Amino acid sequence: MKGLNEITIARVASSILSLLGVEKGEGMAEAIEELLALGRCDRVVMYNPDAVAEWIYEAHRDMFSPLLEEIDLNLEMKSMVPPVTPVCFASMYTGLLPSIHGIEKYEKPVLKVKTAFDILRENGRKVAIVSTEGDSISKIFLERDLDYFIYRTKEECNRKALELIDEDRYDLLVLYNGDYDWAMHRFSPEGKRSLRALGENVETYMELKKAIEERWKGHRTALAFAPDHGCHRAYGILGSHGKEIPMDMNIRHFWSIIGERDA
């Protein structure tokens, strides 16, 4: 049986900063070399679908075929302990371990430590977060000099993200979708409704990529498909996560670089 992947999601924060030419904050985990090798960008779009496990990707790779044809990097990633949403996204965007950023269980307090968002704002960059209301990303990063777009449904969030791409005002755009996580908890990771949500997550990534290609011709953009943690079957028909096991800890992050590198 495969063990745990090596690259932790805590390395995403400094990777975003490095892609945008900004120095990482004190104590942040190092950037991901394979990603930086693709070259600097002036825009980053982070698409965060919840709970998409590596084993789900392996078992249903055909659903990812459109995405796999378009990406430049396919990274084996490791979640945080415990692999629950607020812990994981806190580490993804602070670059810190849970014991340092302060969220060590399923709770959603506003983070008091510095995030990649704060560092970007200090360097004059514009940041927007688009999320469904009540979810971790809509709560733990509040009280910052960012633009927040919080909606009731995933569909509203996705429409807004496309509008923001059209407006071309942000250096970093974060979009969260929690529909796969919601479905897998109720109908199992491979239930029909869960797989339908998974397919929609892949479609959303492709829609974002198409919009960036059409609207941001003057930019070089890094677009990520970056889940927070995985999931496992529980009680036969349900899904769960939160254990330090490969099914919950191992995920994949996919990256597309859109636009030409400067000569």
Side-chain angles (χ1 to χ4, degrees), residues 132-151:
T132 37
E133 60 188 12
D135 289 310
S136 298
I137 283 184
S138 74
K139 287 182 170 289
I140 66 175
F141 300 115
L142 291 175
E143 301 177 10
R144 289 173 160 81
D145 182 23
L146 319 177
D147 287 347
Y148 302 95
F149 301 92
I150 310 302
Y151 298 99

Side-chain angles (χ1 to χ4, degrees), residues 9-10 12-14 16 28 45-48 88-96 111 114-118 129 137 140-141 172-175 226:
I9 59 174
V12 170
S14 57
I16 293 170
M28 278 187 170
V45 176
M46 297 295 298
Y47 175 51
N48 292 134
C88 296
F89 281 128
S91 285
M92 188 181 296
Y93 289 115
T94 65
L96 305 173
L111 284 163
K114 185 167 288 190
T115 68
F117 310 136
D118 301 307
I129 292 177
I137 283 184
I140 66 175
F141 300 115
L172 173 62
L173 172 61
V174 176
L175 170 63

Side-chain angles (χ1 to χ4, degrees), residues 211-252:
I212 291 167
E213 290 171 339
E214 293 177 351
R215 302 297 185 182
W216 287 0
K217 295 183 183 297
H219 299 292
R220 191 165 194 266
T221 304
L223 169 63
F225 182 107
D228 49 346
H229 56 72
C231 58
H232 64 269
R233 300 178 188 87
Y235 310 111
I237 60 171
L238 303 178
S240 188
H241 56 86
K243 296 183 178 181
E244 192 177 359
I245 57 176
M247 295 181 82
D248 288 7
M249 295 289 293
N250 288 347
I251 52 181
R252 291 289 181 109

Side-chain angles (χ1 to χ4, degrees), residues 7 50 53 68 112 131 172 184 207 209 217 238 256:
I7 304 174
D50 202 318
L68 294 173
K112 301 303 181 184
S131 174
L172 173 62
M184 75 87 188
E207 289 174 358
K209 186 172 187 294
K217 295 183 183 297
L238 303 178
S256 296

